[in-house]
């Protein structure tokens, strides 16, 4: 499955943990090659024993599946693959629900926590340089955080332009060019409703 639209609370709950998201990300990154829990743990620099229950929860919600098994030292080892290349939360999961806080919020906060941890690790390892291309950076990144007031038409236009740019990039698929670089993107755009009196 190329993209999975998440519509149910059970899947949202499975996604509401940064470590489970990291496991899922590792499997998506290596797709179509299946990985064992030990291989996932090595990539994430975690203990395998810490990951088994997380992998099982992802499996129970259909986010990952056992692609193959093999016998290693007399023990059957499962090797997993992601069931999709990307995830998208359905608009219906943002609707008010009875849980406190809503399940979608926990999944989104877990994603933010994972992005924060990955960014911190890469930055401290010297793998991120945010200086602009004009200053000679061959891999310029960008950090922006702002708040402003715009019209609803401007908001719709901004959203459409972002969607178009992302569609263009992702429709091309991953590059096999030897000079291609790994790029991480985290985007959160939201408009605030007026405060209630």
């Amino acid at each position: 499955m190329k993209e999975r639209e998440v519509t149910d609370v059970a899947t949202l709950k499975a996604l509401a943990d940064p470590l489970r998201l990291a496991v899922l990300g590792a499997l998506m990154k290596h797709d179509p090659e299946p990985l064992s829990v030990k291989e996932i743990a090595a990539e994430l620099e975690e203990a395998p024993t810490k990951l088994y229950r997380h992998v099982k929860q992802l499996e129970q919600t259909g986010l990952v599946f056992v692609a193959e098994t093999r016998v290693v030292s007399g023990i059957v080892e499962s090797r997993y693959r992601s069931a999709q290349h990307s995830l998208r939360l359905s608009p219906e999961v943002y609707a008010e629900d009875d849980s406190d806080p809503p399940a979608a919020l926990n999944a989104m906060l877990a994603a933010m926590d994972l992005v924060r941890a990955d960014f911190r690790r890469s930055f401290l390892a010297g793998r991120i340089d945010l200086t602009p291309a004009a200053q000679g950076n061959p891999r310029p990144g960008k950090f922006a955080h702002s708040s402003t007031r715009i019209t609803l038409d401007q908001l719709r236009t901004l959203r459409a332009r972002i969607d178009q740019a992302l569609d263009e990039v992702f429709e091309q698929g991953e590059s096999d060019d030897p000079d291609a670089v790994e790029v991480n993107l985290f985007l959160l755009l939201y408009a605030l409703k007026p405060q209630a009196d």
Side-chain angles (χ1 to χ4, degrees):
M1 182 185 308
K2 187 172 183 178
E3 181 178 70
R4 176 176 176 174
E5 183 176 38
V6 178
T7 59
D8 61 292
V9 173
T11 304
L12 283 172
K13 287 182 178 178
L15 295 173
D17 184 283
L19 188 51
R20 282 193 292 274
L21 289 175
V23 167
L24 195 55
L27 290 171
M28 289 177 177
K29 177 181 172 183
H30 288 277
D31 192 61
E33 178 189 344
L35 298 177
S36 68
V37 172
K38 287 181 182 178
E39 291 167 327
I40 297 167
E43 179 157 330
L44 300 180
E45 298 177 357
E46 295 284 354
T49 53
K50 189 174 179 181
L51 298 185
Y52 283 107
R53 73 176 177 86
H54 291 294
V55 171
K56 286 299 176 194
Q57 189 166 359
L58 291 169
E59 185 181 8
Q60 289 169 351
T61 56
L63 291 164
V64 305
F65 64 94
V66 176
E68 63 185 49
T69 57
R70 63 183 183 183
V71 177
V72 178
S73 302
I75 299 171
V76 176
E77 176 186 74
S78 296
R79 296 177 58 80
Y80 298 88
R81 285 187 57 198
S82 172
Q84 61 284 308
H85 290 119
S86 66
L87 294 166
R88 178 171 46 92
L89 300 185
S90 170
E92 64 193 50
V93 302
Y94 299 110
E96 293 295 322
D97 64 15
D98 296 336
S99 60
D100 184 31
L105 174 62
N106 289 332
M108 292 169 60
L109 292 174
M112 290 179 205
D113 289 345
L114 177 62
V115 168
R116 181 182 185 278
D118 287 347
F119 179 84
R120 182 179 192 282
R121 182 174 44 255
S122 296
F123 190 89
L124 292 176
R127 297 189 65 208
I128 295 175
D129 180 359
L130 295 175
T131 58
Q135 294 180 10
N137 187 354
R139 296 177 291 277
K142 181 159 184 76
F143 175 81
H145 175 245
S146 64
S147 180
T148 189
R149 291 182 57 84
I150 59 176
T151 67
L152 290 176
D153 282 342
Q154 288 173 312
L155 175 60
R156 286 186 201 93
T157 299
L158 177 60
R159 170 64 192 262
R161 290 176 67 189
I162 290 170
D163 287 346
Q164 181 183 4
L166 294 176
D167 288 347
E168 287 174 11
V169 169
F170 292 119
E171 283 173 5
Q172 295 170 7
E174 289 205 1
S175 174
D176 56 3
D177 185 312
D179 294 328
V181 294
E182 182 178 339
V183 173
N184 293 312
L185 172 70
F186 180 79
L187 175 69
L188 179 60
L189 170 69
Y190 57 95
L192 297 173
K193 295 178 182 178
Q195 287 186 337
D197 290 337

